[in-house]
Amino acid sequence: MMPHAVIFDLDGVVTDTAHLHFLAWQQIAREVDIDIDEQINEQLKGISRMGSLERILRCGGAEKRFSHQQKQALAERKNALYVESLKQLNSDSVLPGIAELLAELHQENILVGLASVSLNAPRILQALELTHQFDYCADASLIKRSKPDPEIFLAACAGLGVQPENCIGIEDAQAGIAAINSSGMLSVGVGLQLQDADLLLPSTAELNWPLLQTVKRI
Ligand code: BG6
Ligand code: MG
């Protein structure tokens, strides 16, 4: 199958903001006496802001400790810390292989989409100077269900005007691979700990267009 479009996750695929999310959550968790490690962070990838907070509180046995308003305030504080840390991003913060892959896709007239549930996605693309490289970015504010639900990937396909069966999705999160697979797209996973990806690569540095054309459903 010659893919018509490649749809990227943002955090952890285009740039290493997955780590910045972790640092901000770690600080908030510490303030409410909960310890989170990289293993818990894996389960937060691709999950919405409030969904992530709820998982962290559950991990610390604190799901009943806070009112809705208090949770809202914690999520807002986490976002303020995270947005502050985004100030360090610039065009050098794009992960290895991504700029080259985007150039190859444009050269071949393959459509490029973004499927990130982050409300900060537009400002991150801008900081990376990549906004113009995406033909369509799904609007996270309109999405009702986070990954592993396929909603964001289906929204990106619809915005690009392509059928999911003709698209490849690239993800660094287990919830993201599940979302791609249930959308009907082919899935490419970045990070060898992931399961069920149609193609699994150690890092973004191995991504390239000739390789993506060989992806088949497992
Ligand atoms: C996803 C990240 O891309 O966006 C999650 O993988 C994050 O970790 C989610 O919680 C929502 O991001 P934001 O920027 O809207 O809080
Ligand atoms: Mg990600």
Side-chain angles (χ1 to χ4, degrees):
M1 180 280 279
M2 173 70 154
H4 297 175
V6 177
I7 300 177
F8 292 75
D9 170 47
L10 176 67
D11 296 316
V13 170
V14 175
T15 185
D16 192 20
T17 35
H19 188 63
L20 300 179
H21 275 294
F22 174 58
L23 293 178
W25 278 130
Q26 202 175 32
Q27 182 162 337
I28 295 297
R30 227 180 265 136
E31 288 172 15
V32 295
D33 294 321
I34 297 173
D35 240 359
I36 57 165
D37 56 17
E38 291 280 359
Q39 215 179 333
I40 294 171
N41 189 48
E42 278 309 310
Q43 299 165 30
L44 306 181
K45 291 180 178 175
I47 308 298
S48 70
R49 200 177 301 165
M50 191 46 86
S52 299
L53 176 62
E54 271 157 9
R55 279 181 195 220
I56 290 169
L57 295 178
R58 221 179 301 138
C59 280
E63 58 268 62
K64 302 246 157 65
R65 217 165 93 198
F66 301 97
S67 67
H68 178 70
Q69 270 106 323
Q70 286 171 316
K71 284 197 230 172
Q72 210 74 38
L74 287 169
E76 269 167 37
R77 286 237 322 111
K78 180 271 175 175
N79 192 51
L81 291 171
Y82 177 63
V83 168
E84 184 60 31
S85 73
L86 293 178
K87 287 188 180 152
Q88 62 189 267
L89 294 188
N90 57 42
S91 56
D92 292 334
S93 316
V94 179
L95 281 168
I98 295 294
E100 295 80 356
L101 175 59
L102 289 169
E104 284 180 293
L105 295 173
H106 288 299
Q107 173 100 25
E108 302 293 328
N109 288 319
I110 304 301
L111 291 167
V112 175
L114 190 81
S116 169
V117 297
S118 172
L119 296 168
N120 291 297
R123 84 164 85 208
I124 293 172
L125 284 188
Q126 207 170 1
L128 300 173
E129 298 176 24
L130 284 184
T131 308
H132 62 288
Q133 299 264 19
F134 287 82
D135 297 298
Y136 185 78
C137 298
D139 182 347
S141 70
L142 302 177
I143 297 300
K144 293 191 183 63
R145 295 169 300 275
S146 271
K147 300 164 189 176
D149 193 283
E151 186 178 359
I152 188 104
F153 281 101
L154 293 173
C157 290
L160 290 169
V162 289
Q163 293 301 317
E165 295 70 33
N166 297 326
C167 297
I168 290 180
I170 308 180
E171 263 292 348
D172 70 317
Q174 194 57 57
I177 296 293
I180 295 173
N181 288 345
S182 55
S183 75
M185 297 165 59
L186 290 167
S187 56
V188 174
V190 170
L192 295 180
Q193 77 290 350
L194 297 172
Q195 286 166 3
D196 304 327
D198 294 311
L199 172 70
L200 194 58
L201 299 172
S203 76
T204 56
E206 287 77 29
L207 285 165
N208 61 68
W209 176 233
L211 179 62
L212 291 188
Q213 288 171 84
T214 68
V215 182
K216 288 192 183 66
R217 198 163 312 283
I218 51 168

